[in-house]
Amino acid sequence: MDWRGRRKSSNVDDRRGQPLRAGAGGGAGLLMLVRILPWLLRSKGGRALLLVGVVGFFGAQMLGIDLLQLTTGTGTPSRQASFSPEEQELAEFVAVVLADTEQTWQKIFAAAGSRYEEPVLVLFSQRVASACGTASSAVGPFYCPADRKVYLDLTFFRDLDRQLGAPGDFAQAYVIAHEVGHHIQTLLGISQQVRASGQGKSAAEVNNLSVRQELQADCFAGLWGLSAKHYSDMLEPGDLEEALQAASAIGDDRLQKRGGGEVVPDSFTHGTSAQRVAWFRRGFESGDFSQCDTFAAVI
């Protein structure tokens, strides 16, 4: 990606190296279910635990519940962390990508007669407190609808490369754009509609709604990718392939296979590798917001 020298977003809250702010566990801890899914699926007891966990996770994350009256602030860190030039460059990259998503969604919302409310992206290391609870780096990047912030530990990009086999800066940009896609869903009331639709439904039905929501965020990421190509002129040869590789690497079926467990479609919460690739590509190739209605489509 040709990203250097471009505008950086002012909506980055860099908490790396800072002590954990006051917060709660609970909801964000349930995000761990996504990471340990393959191991849970190996036994009957694990699958039972998964059933309970998915329902709890969906409720906490989609409702945006403040589990234990979380308080946050922008306090001054007790110590100044030092980062390598590579770490600093990666933080600058994140700020540039976030700025470009802001530009893209400002245009889309303006065309619809609305104003885009920009999210804050929180950089953290090891653990972070959000309005959805306290999370560790192991949960990966996430969006909290309760405070409308994206949370990211930059070490995830290393794992994306080394463990999941999805290297490259556009693969990393796809991850950011996907989480911003969840912010779009919150602004448009889609997240709230999904939550309401899931009430009283079985775990499998709730999971299906979650899959559709995740795939829509992939499609929204594709819309940004097209804008980055045509309007920002950021993309270089091979970048699209990097994003598609990243989407494929984090499909539920592929992650379950990597864990050595049985592939259980009813337990999927994010979609298969093929689905994630298809919906990112759909947004990227169409550039049409209306093409991202995963809830009306056959997936």
Side-chain angles (χ1 to χ4, degrees):
M1 289 179 65
D2 180 15
W3 63 272
R4 292 174 178 81
R6 297 176 183 265
R7 183 180 74 86
K8 293 181 286 188
S9 174
S10 61
N11 293 312
V12 176
D13 180 3
D14 193 345
R15 301 184 194 173
R16 294 175 298 160
Q18 297 185 23
L20 185 67
R21 297 175 184 176
L30 290 170
L31 279 164
M32 278 294 287
L33 288 170
V34 176
R35 305 290 294 209
I36 64 174
L37 185 62
W39 292 270
L40 288 174
L41 291 170
R42 290 177 181 172
S43 67
K44 183 177 180 180
R47 288 191 289 271
L49 177 62
L50 175 65
L51 179 62
V52 175
V54 166
V55 173
F57 161 69
F58 185 84
Q61 296 300 304
M62 303 316 299
L63 282 171
I65 296 174
D66 185 346
L67 296 172
L68 292 177
Q69 300 297 315
L70 174 70
T71 59
T72 59
T74 57
T76 302
S78 60
R79 62 184 178 87
Q80 182 66 43
S82 63
F83 304 104
S84 68
E86 293 78 11
E87 290 172 324
Q88 284 299 90
E89 183 177 64
L90 192 53
E92 292 177 6
F93 166 77
V94 169
V96 169
V97 172
L98 183 62
D100 204 69
T101 66
E102 292 166 353
Q103 178 177 294
T104 297
W105 288 107
Q106 285 165 0
K107 291 178 180 178
I108 293 175
F109 271 63
S114 301
R115 177 179 172 274
Y116 178 55
E117 299 176 21
E118 301 169 353
V120 169
L121 189 151
V122 178
L123 293 177
F124 71 97
S125 46
Q126 299 185 342
R127 296 182 66 81
V128 69
S130 78
C132 295
T134 299
S136 75
S137 300
V139 306
F142 67 96
Y143 172 76
C144 177
D147 56 22
R148 299 190 175 188
K149 295 180 180 180
V150 173
Y151 292 83
L152 171 66
D153 186 327
L154 295 176
T155 59
F156 176 78
F157 292 150
R158 177 197 62 201
D159 296 339
L160 187 66
D161 179 358
R162 300 178 186 177
Q163 297 183 20
L164 298 177
D169 48 14
F170 198 59
Q172 298 166 353
Y174 153 73
V175 171
I176 298 168
H178 173 90
E179 297 304 333
V180 171
H182 287 310
H183 178 63
I184 303 303
Q185 292 170 327
T186 296
L187 294 181
L188 297 179
I190 296 171
S191 299
Q192 296 88 325
Q193 293 172 15
V194 170
R195 176 202 64 208
S197 298
Q199 293 180 352
K201 299 292 180 61
S202 68
E205 291 173 313
V206 170
N207 288 348
N208 180 264
L209 288 170
S210 177
V211 167
R212 291 177 182 273
Q213 187 163 17
E214 294 294 335
L215 294 179
Q216 185 177 61
D218 282 334
C219 190
F220 288 166
L223 292 179
W224 165 76
L226 181 65
S227 176
K229 176 182 179 181
H230 288 312
Y231 297 103
S232 302
D233 196 27
M234 294 178 69
L235 268 62
E236 296 174 329
D239 280 342
L240 175 59
E241 289 72 22
E242 290 177 0
L244 296 178
Q245 179 64 24
S248 176
I250 54 179
D252 285 324
D253 54 339
R254 182 166 174 179
L255 290 176
Q256 289 184 10
K257 289 177 182 177
R258 280 179 58 87
E262 179 185 0
V263 176
V264 182
D266 281 350
S267 71
F268 291 171
T269 57
H270 288 66
T272 67
S273 293
Q275 288 172 329
R276 302 201 69 168
V277 167
W279 282 96
F280 177 87
R281 187 184 288 276
R282 186 166 184 168
F284 187 89
E285 293 180 349
S286 72
D288 183 356
F289 183 86
S290 67
Q291 292 295 311
C292 292
D293 187 0
T294 55
F295 298 95
V298 177
I299 61 173

